[in-house]
Amino acid sequence: MGQMLTVALGERSYPIHIGDGLLERTELWAQRLPQRRVALITDEIVAPIYSTRVARALSAFDIGVVQITVPAGEQHKDWETLNKVFDALLANRCERKTALVALGGGVIGDLTGFAAATYLRGVPFVQIPTTLLAQVDSSVGGKTAINHPRGKNMIGAFYQPLAVVADTDTLATLPQREIGAGLAEIIKYGLIRDLPFFEWLENNIEALVTREAAALAYAIRRSCENKADVVALDEREESGARALLNFGHTFGHAIEAGTGYGSWLHGEAVAAGMVIAARVSQQMGLLRADDVARITTLLERARLPVTAPNLGLERYLQLMGIDKKVEGGKIRFILLRGLGSAFVTADVPSAAISAGLSATTASA
Ligand SMILES: NC(=O)c1ccc[n+]([C@@H]2O[C@H](COP(=O)([O-])OP(=O)(O)OC[C@H]3O[C@@H](n4cnc5c(N)ncnc54)[C@H](O)[C@@H]3O)[C@@H](O)[C@H]2O)c1
Ligand SMILES: [Zn+2]
């Protein structure tokens, strides 16, 4: 069973299918393909668990499949892996109408999406996200990228998929830490624009941690609704609406880069980053102490870190200085003026930043 949402972007609108047993439901999206041939791109962990099922379902529909498997992990979201994908696409004579299908987490989705945006000046692509984080966030909205040694997601493109197919059954094989990482982005939606959802999460977080199907399906749907709304308002992060999705990410990206990509999961870094941002908001008199406590309590119940690594204030500022959200040399912060209400500002006293950081970093 499943349900369908739409990302409303005029002629580039596309469906998000959410439900169990969707991996084999090729008919949901096959009619959108311009050619009966696809390149199925996945990683070495996902391939042995799921790629045969998807490839078989496609073949049953008379769709030819070129399989491309790349190494798993954030450290491979880079030029080298992207080039391997291009090599395989060219060697297999994939054409401008051959769709790329991303089967995997956000790393595969971001990499495949960027490959699709640039191969032969742009080919269609489909997202089949298999991590909680990818199902609630990265597969929706058309941000694609690879990392540069100097910063995360520095090379990329806005490029929308033809469809997103989130099979909730795939979450059963996900390591527990990856569930937590997805929960961080789910909690983010509640914090930035959806107080009733934040309250629902306070009542249902254990069910999500233990992967109860109905709770997961609801949280994924509500998250995708929020993401789709924001993307429809501000597809290319120009008006400020989409920037709110980066709540916790300015600090989170600094944690990821400062500890070396891969030791902190993206969602874990976002969790600690949201605590820092909440404390900076509190420092500025925008958020009450008991609201900050509600945030840290919910994150802890989701088994997420609420303490950031002590990289030192200077290092944090240096790492944040190369963030994409920098405009005219000034760092733009996303802060809260209450639970469920985020806004963007470049006007943050450095004393508030250092107080927020030092209240959140480990003293050891
Ligand atoms: N484009 C966007 O809007 C956006 C938004 C948020 C995050 N991101 C990006 O997403 C990436 C993080 O994505 P992620 O958290 O999915 O990480 P990931 O893609 O690295 O997946 C996490 C791990 O789980 C494995 N895996 C995937 N599906 C599995 C399954 N069903 N069962 C067992 N193992 C499975 C993967 O092989 C990997 O080892 C980051 O690079 C981040 O920058 C992008
Ligand atoms: Zn994120």
Side-chain angles (χ1 to χ4, degrees):
M1 275 307 295
Q3 38 194 333
M4 194 192 93
L5 310 171
T6 301
V7 185
L9 290 167
E11 60 186 15
R12 282 170 293 108
S13 296
Y14 55 93
I16 307 171
H17 300 280
I18 303 165
D20 51 348
L22 298 190
L23 276 191
E24 274 98 359
R25 300 272 313 274
T26 310
E27 78 280 4
L28 291 174
W29 50 278
Q31 76 280 4
R32 301 179 77 87
L33 297 176
Q35 186 185 60
R36 300 198 81 73
R37 188 165 186 244
V38 302
L40 180 62
I41 303 176
T42 187
D43 73 32
E44 283 167 352
I45 292 174
V46 176
I49 324 180
Y50 297 114
S51 73
T52 315
R53 281 169 57 188
V54 177
R56 221 180 263 153
L58 285 162
S59 310
F61 237 74
D62 263 335
I63 294 168
V65 180
V66 172
Q67 282 211 51
I68 302 173
T69 303
V70 302
E74 184 73 36
Q75 67 277 25
H76 296 291
K77 199 174 108 175
D78 62 3
W79 271 117
E80 197 188 330
T81 311
L82 182 69
N83 263 318
K84 284 187 188 145
V85 170
F86 290 144
D87 288 346
L89 292 172
L90 288 164
N92 287 283
R93 300 182 194 284
C94 291
E95 300 170 359
R96 189 168 288 157
K97 287 184 173 175
T98 311
L100 309 193
V101 177
L103 175 69
V107 166
I108 285 298
D110 280 13
L111 178 87
T112 302
F114 187 53
T118 49
Y119 181 64
L120 304 181
R121 301 195 183 89
V123 298
F125 91 111
V126 173
Q127 290 270 19
I128 307 185
T130 62
T131 65
L132 184 58
L133 184 138
Q135 293 187 355
V136 300
D137 190 357
S138 63
S139 66
V140 174
K143 274 196 183 179
T144 74
I146 56 170
N147 299 326
H148 185 279
R150 283 173 174 270
K152 215 175 127 66
N153 297 333
M154 284 294 152
I155 318 293
F158 287 98
Y159 196 67
Q160 302 293 344
L162 291 179
V164 179
V165 183
D167 183 341
T168 51
D169 287 341
T170 61
L171 304 178
T173 53
L174 210 56
Q176 194 62 36
R177 249 182 104 188
E178 303 288 349
I179 294 286
L183 290 176
E185 304 279 11
I186 291 173
I187 292 168
K188 177 191 77 180
Y189 295 114
L191 285 174
I192 62 171
R193 69 194 303 275
D194 193 347
L195 178 59
F197 186 36
F198 183 84
E199 289 169 344
W200 182 89
L201 289 166
E202 289 184 313
N203 292 323
N204 292 275
I205 195 72
E206 311 303 340
L208 293 171
V209 170
T210 58
R211 308 183 206 198
E212 281 181 28
L216 279 174
Y218 178 78
I220 294 166
R221 193 193 84 205
R222 189 73 174 244
S223 298
C224 286
E225 282 168 354
N226 272 296
K227 178 113 189 216
D229 280 358
V230 171
V231 169
L233 283 171
D234 181 19
E235 182 184 6
R236 300 177 71 94
E237 205 166 316
E238 288 158 342
S239 76
R242 186 164 185 163
L244 302 185
L245 295 172
N246 293 320
F247 178 64
H249 283 59
T250 304
F251 297 107
H253 285 166
I255 294 171
E256 284 181 90
T259 54
Y261 295 114
S263 65
W264 280 62
L265 297 181
H266 174 72
E268 292 170 341
V270 167
M274 291 193 295
V275 176
I276 300 171
R279 293 230 168 89
V280 173
S281 309
Q282 182 190 1
Q283 284 295 322
M284 292 176 66
L286 298 163
L287 194 64
R288 301 198 321 244
D290 56 325
D291 285 338
V292 176
R294 275 174 76 180
I295 297 170
T296 54
T297 302
L298 182 59
L299 292 170
E300 283 181 311
R301 291 172 64 207
R303 321 277 194 273
L304 282 161
V306 295
T307 305
N310 195 352
L311 308 174
L313 181 62
E314 277 312 306
R315 181 81 179 119
Y316 268 105
L317 293 178
Q318 183 193 11
L319 287 162
M320 292 188 298
I322 55 161
D323 198 278
K324 287 184 300 309
K325 286 163 290 297
V326 175
E327 211 171 81
K330 266 205 134 181
I331 303 176
R332 291 155 73 228
F333 290 91
I334 294 126
L335 301 180
L336 296 179
R337 52 163 80 88
L339 299 177
S341 176
F343 70 105
V344 186
T345 178
D347 208 10
V348 181
S350 52
I353 298 167
S354 47
L357 268 167
S358 58
T360 311
T361 48
S363 45

